[in-house]
Amino acid sequence: MSTREDPPRLKDVGDLTLREALRAARNDLPTPAHVAALGSALELALGVPPSVPPPPGLSAAGGAATGAYSVAGKLIAVALVVATGAGAVLVARRERAPAPPVSVTSSTQPAERPSAEPAGTLPTPSAMPPAERAEVTETTREISPPTVEPPSELALLADARAALASSPARALRILDVHRRAYPRGALAQEREMMGMEALTSLGMHGAVVTRAERFLASHPGSAHAARVRVLRDRALASADAAREASAP
Amino acid sequence: MRNWAGDRHEEGVTLALAQNLTAEPAAVPEIKTIFREHAPYVLRLARRLGVRDGDADDVCQEVFVTVHRRLPTYEGRGSMRSFVYGICVRAVANYRRKAHRRYELGMDAPPDVGHAEDPGRAYERKRSLAALDEALATLSEEHRAVFVLYEIEELSMAEVAEVVGCPPKTAYSRLYAARASVSACMKEGGRA
């Protein structure tokens, strides 16, 4: 916005070198991927609850991290019940409480069912023999609400953990998906921990300290408290070291 | 729902600037919306105000954390961009005080924004940007803020004065002084 009193800008009236420099400065914008990573990190740092509940399959969560989840949707949720065994089932149950008791060791779930196989390699119910499909369907009916469910907390955090070393920004996006789907999930503390680790990897020390202080205030007796203190102290030390290194 | 960092809407920002100062307070947008509309420009502003690339993300995050915290005090009578930029200018000043050692000690390589850009042109662009940053580094904090806000961020002078918190006349005098200094530096650099 410009008013009549404003002088002409140098990009219009300056000499050629200056005009080019100002144009370069004007175009010096971050890439969308950079901003996306920053947005995920900020969202995590603020702990802002999602303004709109994620639609079925999390298809609206956006970003590369969510693509696979939205595509697989219900089938993965069903497969994960089988793949991750009682642990994942219990996690799922805690998210949906209160509900009638569930027999997670149902006889319809064979003990020899593979438990460590990646979800993506599991047979989908439609690809299973009819008898087995019926077993899965029965098990799912017992433990799942009628709506489409996102991947389990466990699966999301496992993916985030896998991404942490190579791409902390991607890990943050996955953690963001988890936060949207399970804002008060059973693994919320683990999510926060991993978020701090990802922020540490990204060198966002201020955010780490903020998150750590908030975590310690909210969960003083947490089993993760010691690790959080380490992360916080390390972030403070890194900030101090950087300040020392650059001191004149 | 798009990511916070969805497509940039510079037009939207311009429209936001059109909010009249005397208008009825508008509904305060959500932090996600504010981030989506302003984050790229906050990063740009922070860099031109002297924040090194390695620190720009932290400063940007600090800005939006502060925006989030101060949203209840935003009455919607000024433009959101002025509100955000004001916080950014203060965050950078704070950064300079806390991290005086980092300020203008050198520059990280500008981010690669032109993936398909001709190498020769990319080199010229980076050199041009580096020359501008060198010239900006000669300015005082106050002069630099006014120059960057007016010449690069293209705020109106009224908004510049509002953002930096000085009378309009002072903003004008800072702008003219900064222009003279930057022009002289750029010419000197061009001759070197």
Side-chain angles (χ1 to χ4, degrees), chain A residues 7-9 26 34 60 246, chain B residues 1 44 57 101 113 150 179:
Chain A
R9 297 185 202 276
R26 180 88 180 150
H34 183 164
S246 305
Chain B
M1 183 166 54
R44 178 175 69 186
D57 284 0
R101 74 301 161 185
V113 293
Y150 187 72
R179 279 179 160 189

Side-chain angles (χ1 to χ4, degrees), chain A residues 41-42 44-47 192 196 199 204-218 228 231-232 235-236, chain B residues 58 61-62 65-66 69:
Chain A
L42 177 67
L44 193 66
L46 290 177
E192 294 300 306
M196 282 179 251
L199 290 168
M204 302 178 79
H205 306 304
V208 174
V209 173
T210 305
R211 301 285 299 175
E213 296 291 1
R214 189 184 304 165
F215 183 96
L216 292 171
S218 308
V228 171
L231 288 174
R232 179 198 58 189
L236 287 168
Chain B
D58 266 2
Q61 171 146 341
E62 186 186 331
V65 167
T66 307
R69 195 176 64 239

